Amino acid sequence: MNAPARNDEFAETIPAGVYAEKVLSVQHYTDRLFRFRMTRPAGFRFRSGEFAMIGLMVEGKPVYRAYSIASPAWDEELEFFSIKVPDGPLTSHLQKIQPGDTVLMRKKPTGTLVLDALTPGKRLYMFSTGTGIAPFASLIRDPETYEKFDDVILTHTCREVSELKYGLDLVEEIRNDEMLSEIVGEKLRLYSTVTREDYPFQGRITDLIANGKLFTDLGVPAFDPAVDRGMICGSAAMLKETKELLEKAGLEEGANNKPGEFVIERAFVG
Ligand code: A2P
């Protein structure tokens, strides 16, 4: 392509208001999913559950997408869990990163899947599909989650069994971590289900809520706005349908400036 010659400030330098960080490790789970860890800028602060704009220079221009930060606020590195979209403007390139490569991150994190956006409760449900587990990977490693809730239930639904590995490994890591396992104790439960393959737990989370199997499997009562709180992260359709089920049970949606009984956020796509 013969682009006209111009003084492109992005070609060699890092754009203003952006951190340039080094990739530390990359792990591929399936041909659709991978995670990477990168250095954390000294001045970068965020709340567990928030997202940041992550980018790469592509043909001299930065390309960004919103990514939930999967590592907890106390971690000295940053972790992200990503889908690979073959023609995705960012992920078609991001899936090829190697340790030592540079990844861009805009300076200001934001998001609604934060503990501050929920009113006090006893049981916290985190409903996720696919890469929607990322903000919860952060929150289940944050001690504050267990200070605020006695029972923390993370649901993760994927099409295939191999896509559950990130979540399963994560909980295993928590159990094997001396400090975290003491804080988490028996409070955390991971409920993994699969929709397109055989697995001990099968079905969409929306169906499992509607038919009550979720509650039977976990041995808990149906949703109760007095004690239950929720966070939802998945596709637009999954958010809408799960939200409707929580509202039907009497829970009200909250936000940063008006805490409520549940909060939602769309998982990264493209
Ligand atoms: P299904 O296999 O029945 O479509 P995706 O990769 O398309 O985002 O899907 C991730 C998981 O979310 C899949 O298990 C999928 O189930 C499920 N899912 C898709 N749409 C919804 C929805 N509207 N409500 C609940 N779960 C959904």
Side-chain angles (χ1 to χ4, degrees):
M1 208 173 73
N2 279 328
R6 64 189 177 107
N7 181 14
D8 189 341
E9 76 266 33
F10 294 136
E12 302 294 338
T13 58
I14 301 304
V18 170
Y19 297 113
E21 297 306 308
K22 287 274 170 268
V23 176
L24 298 169
S25 63
V26 185
Q27 185 177 358
H28 293 269
Y29 292 93
T30 67
D31 56 4
R32 293 209 312 146
L33 296 170
F34 72 110
R35 93 166 178 175
F36 63 95
R37 291 180 69 90
M38 67 181 203
T39 52
R40 176 175 176 167
F44 181 70
R45 298 275 167 272
F46 69 100
R47 294 180 294 173
S48 293
E50 286 190 312
F51 67 86
M53 300 304 290
I54 291 292
L56 283 179
M57 297 299 273
V58 178
E59 290 165 10
K61 290 210 175 89
V63 177
Y64 295 98
R65 288 294 180 273
Y67 269 88
S68 287
I69 302 167
S71 45
W74 54 261
D75 201 328
E76 50 193 43
E77 297 171 7
L78 294 175
E79 179 177 317
F80 300 93
F81 184 49
S82 179
I83 199 158
K84 305 175 196 178
V85 181
D87 304 320
L90 178 63
T91 61
S92 60
H93 303 282
L94 195 65
Q95 65 178 281
K96 297 185 194 133
I97 54 170
Q98 304 277 350
D101 288 352
T102 299
V103 169
L104 306 178
M105 182 173 69
R106 285 214 189 116
K107 293 196 171 172
K108 215 177 144 13
T110 182
T112 53
L113 300 179
V114 291
L115 294 168
D116 291 348
L118 294 175
T119 51
K122 289 206 164 65
R123 183 177 295 119
L124 174 59
Y125 286 95
M126 301 170 170
F127 301 104
S128 68
T129 53
T131 56
I133 194 175
F136 306 138
S138 173
L139 283 158
I140 63 169
R141 290 184 271 186
D142 191 325
E144 198 187 337
T145 302
Y146 306 94
E147 285 162 21
K148 293 194 160 169
F149 293 93
D150 298 334
D151 195 8
V152 176
I153 295 164
L154 168 59
T155 81
H156 189 210
T157 304
C158 294
R159 297 177 186 187
E160 294 167 13
V161 178
S162 59
E163 296 172 327
L164 298 177
K165 186 170 166 52
Y166 177 75
L168 295 167
D169 285 359
L170 191 66
V171 170
E172 179 81 11
E173 272 170 39
I174 293 173
R175 304 246 184 266
N176 292 331
D177 183 290
E178 211 176 305
M179 191 199 78
L180 267 181
S181 62
E182 192 160 313
I183 293 165
V184 174
E186 300 297 310
K187 288 183 172 180
L188 174 66
R189 288 191 277 174
L190 173 64
Y191 184 78
S192 308
T193 78
V194 165
T195 49
R196 301 193 191 186
E197 277 184 349
D198 277 345
Y199 194 67
F201 296 92
Q202 273 177 286
R204 289 186 170 194
I205 193 63
T206 41
D207 293 335
L208 297 165
I209 294 170
N211 65 22
K213 188 166 188 301
L214 172 74
F215 309 112
T216 314
D217 286 345
L218 293 170
V220 296
F223 295 140
D224 175 357
V227 291
D228 291 331
R229 298 294 171 263
M231 292 179 156
I232 318 172
C233 191
S235 63
M238 180 271 192
L239 293 185
K240 180 175 174 287
E241 289 172 32
T242 313
K243 172 183 148 96
E244 282 167 6
L245 288 162
L246 292 182
E247 286 174 341
K248 201 172 138 202
L251 280 78
E252 277 182 34
E253 188 175 353
N256 269 298
N257 56 1
K258 188 181 174 294
E261 287 145 3
F262 74 93
V263 280
I264 70 174
E265 202 145 76
R266 191 166 181 185
F268 167 81
V269 277

